[in-house]
Amino acid sequence: MSNQPIFSLTGVCKKYGKKTALDGVDLTIQPGEVLAVLGPNGAGKTTLINLMLGRLSLSDGQISLLGEQPGSLGAKRQTGAMLQVANLPDNLKVKEHIHLFQSYYPAPMPYQQIIDYAGLTDVENTLTKNLSGGQKQRLLFALGICGNPKLLFLDEPSVGMDIEARRGLWQAIRDLRAKGTAIVLTTHYLEEADALSDKVVVINQGKVVTQGTPQQIKAHVSTKVIRFTSETDVGVLSDVADVSQIKSSGKYYELQSSHPVNSLKSLFTLLPDIEDLTVTGAALEDAFLTLTEQTGA
Amino acid sequence: MNATQPTTVKLLPIYWLESKMEVLKMWRSPGFAISSLLFPVMFYTFFGLLFTMNADNMSTYLLATYGTFGVIGPALMSFGVGVAVERGQGWFDVKEASPMPASAYIIARIAVSLVFSVAVIMCLFTLGATFGDVKLLQSQWLLLCIVLMLGSLPFCAIGLAMGLSLKSNTAPAVVNLTYLPMSFLSGLWVPINMFPETMQNIAHFLPPFHLAQLALKVIDMDIGGNVWLHFGALLAYGLVFFALAMMAYNKKDKS
């Protein structure tokens, strides 16, 4: 493999009227690299993907993609995309969809290989309308990879997939990466980004908040969420240790804690009547909000 | 990177596959297919066969105009509603992100529209010949069929422009509100010479009028306009709306 990046973005800006969706994004990816794009809803993830697919025009900056213009036929023939789709045409069989998409590419991936990667062996002859949500996602994945792409876009690929299907997808992504396919992945699941990506970029309000390996990013988002019910007055909660945010609705409480052990210790001493206690990893979006506040973006 | 890999694709196999899939999709949803055939067939049966007001060659006259009505419907629907719905689903985005040639998408839908046209024409011809005592020369049957089929193409362009511009939830209503009044005003349901003069003048601006006149010309029942004028009007409509469709297709930053 040469050291030519698969794509490079320099100072990419996108404005919708007065609203700035992306503001000066620089990004590159090498062959065989998996890049996870993370960020809350409305952060600019989809805008970024659509710019790279050539579906949106740039307000400023440059995108070079496999030496072609984004959206050109030359670029499309070397890329694959799994987009979020509300529905697929109902009355085609899985194999018919795949054969059709294969025909668009100069050097498509062999049919059987697509089926194996996407885990569609049992449903090749099933009409799309009879597929489960997860199977539809797998079909979309199959359509994304069927051109043997050098660059693959996966927009929230595992939404609606059960655990088994997700594992299958992850394995397929790893195999493709081992073959040298560069992959851009947007996801809400930190776990997914963690398991798959070599590089993570966090976007918020159109700006790159941070870039790095999953390990580097995870260090930023180590907060936990503590939920419980209690009849005690809210005022007491401001004394709980290491809590960054408090939400309440009636007797339901939700706290964000940077050190859950410390927070729980003080919670138990302050509130005698805690019930239904759970501690979970912070939702990625919440974590990003904290992250953005910290970086002052 | 890999010099041995082909970098081009053959268009014909794509056109064939794309059309085949599009026809299969339609074939497998008979509800939609039947309802599209039902209107012209039902209307023709009522007004062309059962209640033929006065003239005894009304069945023949209305065969041409309901034939026109029958072929422009699927053209407007398959493109206008079909494309808008696929855009609404996000499926169109997937197609657009793939290297599918835009021409394949259009040709496949034209294929569907033509299959519909043939079905409508065959139904109407059979009804007319069997129950309406319609007697035409063999060459007239054939020419009428060809005129109607080719005549549906400008309506494919109009439908495509609508499908690429309309939202999926409003498309069926807008397409029907164009299709039905335009058909009536063009004299497809009631012979144009029964209209008051102002309405006849309006009809000259409507594309179905020109197709109907060409179809009626085949059976010598038209109002006597110039063939090339009708042909030119249809061609102009087709080209203008195709250009509009291409502008809508190539526009970036679609919502």
Side-chain angles (χ1 to χ4, degrees), chain A residues 106-141:
Chain A
M109 188 182 281
Y111 175 77
Q112 197 52 48
Q113 204 180 341
I114 299 170
I115 292 288
D116 291 343
Y117 270 134
L120 290 166
T121 314
D122 301 330
V123 290
E124 287 171 66
N125 286 303
T126 309
L127 290 179
T128 319
K129 65 177 167 195
N130 299 326
L131 296 177
S132 70
Q135 287 167 334
K136 281 185 186 168
Q137 285 292 105
R138 281 191 253 176
L139 174 55
L140 287 169
F141 179 72

Side-chain angles (χ1 to χ4, degrees), chain A residues 77-106:
Chain A
R77 283 183 177 153
Q78 300 180 74
T79 50
M82 177 185 179
L83 305 176
Q84 294 186 67
V85 169
N87 221 335
L88 293 90
D90 282 338
N91 290 307
L92 282 187
K93 293 174 184 170
V94 166
K95 65 171 181 191
E96 291 166 344
H97 274 301
I98 293 175
H99 284 315
L100 180 59
F101 270 70
Q102 277 181 302
S103 77
Y104 300 154
Y105 294 90

Side-chain angles (χ1 to χ4, degrees), chain A residues 137-153:
Chain A
Q137 285 292 105
R138 281 191 253 176
L139 174 55
L140 287 169
F141 179 72
L143 299 181
I145 63 172
C146 74
N148 237 334
K150 290 186 183 138
L151 171 63
L152 179 62
F153 292 99

Side-chain angles (χ1 to χ4, degrees), chain B residues 4-95:
Chain B
T4 56
Q5 280 188 350
T7 50
T8 53
V9 293
K10 289 207 178 71
L11 283 176
L12 276 180
I14 301 182
Y15 291 164
W16 165 245
L17 256 185
E18 191 85 46
S19 304
K20 187 177 136 192
M21 295 308 164
E22 210 59 41
V23 172
L24 265 179
K25 263 156 63 176
M26 175 202 74
W27 184 251
R28 287 175 186 157
S29 53
F32 173 74
I34 289 169
S35 65
S36 302
L37 294 182
L38 205 63
F39 272 118
V41 167
M42 201 173 65
F43 281 10
Y44 182 63
T45 307
F46 278 136
F47 303 111
L49 302 175
L50 297 176
F51 310 106
T52 49
M53 286 166 267
N54 40 28
D56 46 10
N57 50 11
M58 193 59 108
S59 310
T60 312
Y61 184 98
L62 290 180
L63 182 65
T65 59
Y66 278 116
T68 306
F69 178 67
V71 297
I72 66 178
L76 290 175
M77 292 296 164
S78 162
F79 279 95
V81 180
V83 175
V85 165
E86 290 197 346
R87 278 173 52 236
Q89 288 176 337
W91 178 244
F92 190 78
D93 299 348
V94 175
K95 289 279 211 182

Side-chain angles (χ1 to χ4, degrees), chain B residues 215-245:
Chain B
L216 289 166
K217 185 78 91 184
V218 175
I219 52 175
D220 288 325
M221 294 177 99
D222 64 313
I223 57 170
N226 186 317
V227 176
W228 296 110
L229 179 80
H230 298 311
F231 182 75
L234 287 173
L235 188 69
Y237 264 105
L239 290 178
V240 166
F241 277 91
F242 188 71
L244 287 175

Side-chain angles (χ1 to χ4, degrees), chain A residues 33-55:
Chain A
E33 231 178 19
V34 178
L35 170 75
V37 182
L38 305 180
N41 286 331
K45 288 178 294 183
T46 308
T47 303
L48 187 67
I49 297 254
N50 279 330
L51 282 169
M52 285 192 269
L53 288 172
R55 302 188 59 235

Side-chain angles (χ1 to χ4, degrees), chain A residues 226 228 234-244 246 255-257 259-260 262-271:
Chain A
I226 303 170
F228 56 89
V234 196
V236 189
L237 291 176
S238 50
D239 297 335
V240 179
D242 298 323
V243 163
S244 56
I246 303 169
L255 312 182
Q256 276 197 23
S257 165
H259 291 100
N262 293 348
S263 304
L264 285 171
K265 273 181 193 159
S266 55
L267 258 184
F268 289 135
T269 47
L270 287 165
L271 307 180

